[in-house]
Amino acid sequence: MPFRLVCVLPVLTLVVAATAHAQSLNSGECIGDLDALAPYMLANDAGSADYVAQRGRASFDAALATARTTAAAAPNDQACLEVLRNYLRSAFRRSHLSLRQIDATVPNAVRASAGAPSFRLLSRQTALIIIPTFADQAGGAIEALIKEHAKDIAQRPNLLVDVRANGGGSDWTYKPLLALAEANIRRDVGAQIWATPANAAASRAACDVFAPLSQQCRDRMRQEAEAIDRAPAGTFIAQPGERPLEIVEPRDVVPHPRRIGVLVDKGCASTCEEFLIAMRQSFKVKLFGQSSTGSLDYSNLRPWTLPSGKRRLMYATTRSLRLPEFAVDLAGIPPDQVLPTPRGVEDRERELAQVQRVLESARQ
């Protein structure tokens, strides 16, 4: 199973430090960042060559020319961020690619997460687990939650897992949930790393940005960087310790839950989508809600600071071996049962109740 480290913003976003006024921009600074961004992406992003080939070099060159014109007129950092954001979106892709303003007043540390996992008993038949994030820091809490409520889960035939708005994280964090779904053989398809010297350096820097307190992250990123160092530059290589295809045999199959409903929406991205692919292979599992984001084909985001030192790029360093036959980014992962998009908190609760009713209406 891949060890995926991503920021939890699955689509290209603009994050600006909170300031009273927009910072002024030095002459040529924005163009300098743009001129460095284009070749860096082409050389190091795992999906850029594919996207340029699909759209054509002329389209790529036109996007850069347009961006240079607007960058030259950018009056401040916020405007420059908008220019660079639009360029990345038009020349490359919207998902698994982000650009942020670096806030010098905030050290690299564990930032506010999407929330802790939680557990509820919905009825004598159904339990609910809510997983707002698969971020590296949430892994221990997810495991502890399932252990704490193991008896409640085992006493009920149905389990509902809510991963709405879960922007992803690290794949290892959802393993305890996979254990509850074991029923038959599962096939996990891996990914390949795009090996370049810059990507080795980015892997070594990743944990300082994503998970500074995680020793597991540091051990894994060290192995990854060393593997990249050994590889010829400009080649795809296997992820350390991962197989291209892993066939997982069911072992400790638990009788309960017999049925698992996974509630998903457009906010489920990256590792959350990897979770969906793994879970839906089980005969126990059905997906409910709306299609996921579509942010998985090019993954494992790594950081790179632009020449100005004011902005940080998060870009993809791996390409899924599912491609080209099974592309997720085109339309996301569809649910087995489509539900109307909820408009507010009350609608979200009604959506939960709808899935609970489906699970409890099963006759076997």
Side-chain angles (χ1 to χ4, degrees), residues 45-217:
D45 181 81
S48 290
D50 290 348
Y51 275 85
V52 172
Q54 292 167 10
R55 298 183 181 184
R57 185 73 196 201
S59 175
F60 174 79
D61 291 341
L64 182 58
T66 299
R68 291 193 93 256
T69 299
T70 51
N76 52 49
D77 286 330
Q78 182 172 349
C80 181
L81 271 168
E82 188 66 35
V83 170
L84 299 180
R85 171 181 180 250
N86 288 336
Y87 165 68
L88 288 171
R89 182 170 55 196
S90 61
F92 300 103
R93 62 183 182 276
R94 301 179 68 94
S95 63
H96 263 172
L97 189 60
S98 70
L99 189 68
R100 304 188 188 193
Q101 185 83 2
I102 297 174
D103 187 351
T105 66
V106 179
N108 288 334
V110 179
R111 301 178 184 272
S113 69
S118 59
F119 180 87
R120 278 162 49 189
L121 293 177
L122 299 181
S123 71
R124 295 177 64 182
Q125 294 178 279
T126 306
L128 167 67
I129 297 175
I130 301 174
I131 310 290
T133 179
F134 286 121
D136 191 82
Q137 298 89 343
I142 293 171
E143 183 178 16
L145 184 79
I146 292 174
K147 285 183 178 179
E148 179 184 355
H149 297 285
K151 184 176 180 179
D152 289 323
I153 294 170
Q155 290 175 340
R156 286 161 177 80
N158 305 317
L159 176 65
L160 203 167
V161 181
D162 184 352
V163 291
R164 291 174 296 181
N166 185 319
S170 299
D171 289 3
W172 68 271
T173 61
Y174 61 69
K175 282 187 177 181
L177 291 164
L178 289 185
L180 297 175
E182 279 199 350
N184 50 268
I185 290 174
R186 186 182 79 245
R187 288 172 169 81
D188 291 336
V189 179
Q192 292 180 311
I193 304 170
W194 181 239
T196 68
N199 286 349
S203 293
R204 291 186 169 96
C207 297
D208 288 336
V209 176
F210 295 125
L213 302 182
S214 172
Q215 187 58 46
Q216 182 176 7
C217 175

Side-chain angles (χ1 to χ4, degrees), residues 9-67:
L9 299 174
V11 295
L12 183 62
T13 54
L14 173 65
V15 179
V16 182
T19 56
H21 302 284
Q23 295 179 340
S24 61
L25 192 68
N26 294 331
S27 177
E29 185 180 88
C30 191
I31 292 179
D33 276 359
L34 175 64
D35 286 345
L37 188 59
Y40 188 89
M41 283 289 295
L42 284 176
N44 301 293
D45 181 81
S48 290
D50 290 348
Y51 275 85
V52 172
Q54 292 167 10
R55 298 183 181 184
R57 185 73 196 201
S59 175
F60 174 79
D61 291 341
L64 182 58
T66 299

Side-chain angles (χ1 to χ4, degrees), residues 1-2 171 174-175 177-179 181-189 248 262 270-285 287 296 322 326 333:
M1 181 181 299
D171 289 3
Y174 61 69
K175 282 187 177 181
L177 291 164
L178 289 185
E182 279 199 350
N184 50 268
I185 290 174
R186 186 182 79 245
R187 288 172 169 81
D188 291 336
V189 179
V248 183
V262 179
S270 186
T271 286
C272 185
E273 292 174 300
E274 198 74 56
F275 168 72
L276 298 183
I277 290 175
M279 288 287 284
R280 74 176 188 172
Q281 293 183 53
S282 169
F283 286 114
K284 289 185 176 185
V285 177
L287 309 185
L296 189 61
R322 291 178 286 97
F326 180 16
I333 298 170

